[in-house]
Amino acid sequence: MRNFPYITVGKILYELEEEGLKLSRVTFLRLEARLGFPIAKRTSGKLQWRVYSHQQAEDIKNRIRTEYNFSSE
């Protein structure tokens, strides 16, 4: 996995997987529409990746954990 100085969708999915909750990118996109995740900023350049602040990423992970009734204990 590539490391970037900002938080991407891939990094959020990777961190959730390390906790034991594996989601596909498609599932993330469906949850994004249904749960109303915070709006991401776009990077400059051709690809325009969606990036999140640390607070937004924690909010997204908490919403996903709540949706799946998941605790990492």
Side-chain angles (χ1 to χ4, degrees):
M1 180 173 181
R2 295 170 58 184
N3 280 333
F4 298 102
Y6 38 80
I7 300 173
T8 61
V9 173
K11 185 162 186 154
I12 291 172
L13 292 174
Y14 178 76
E15 289 175 1
L16 286 171
E17 185 176 349
E18 283 190 333
E19 295 175 11
L21 182 61
K22 184 168 175 65
L23 299 173
S24 69
R25 192 171 296 267
V26 173
T27 302
F28 181 89
L29 296 175
R30 288 180 182 152
L31 289 172
E32 180 180 43
R34 195 173 81 220
L35 299 178
F37 290 165
I39 297 173
K41 292 184 179 180
R42 296 284 184 162
T43 60
S44 60
K46 185 177 180 182
L47 295 179
Q48 302 237 335
W49 291 358
R50 292 180 296 165
V51 295
Y52 300 94
S53 69
H54 291 286
Q55 184 60 37
Q56 288 175 322
E58 286 303 316
D59 182 35
I60 290 169
K61 289 189 283 186
N62 287 333
R63 289 183 189 192
I64 291 172
R65 289 182 198 116
T66 302
E67 179 70 17
Y68 284 96
N69 198 21
F70 180 79
S71 65
S72 59
E73 297 173 353

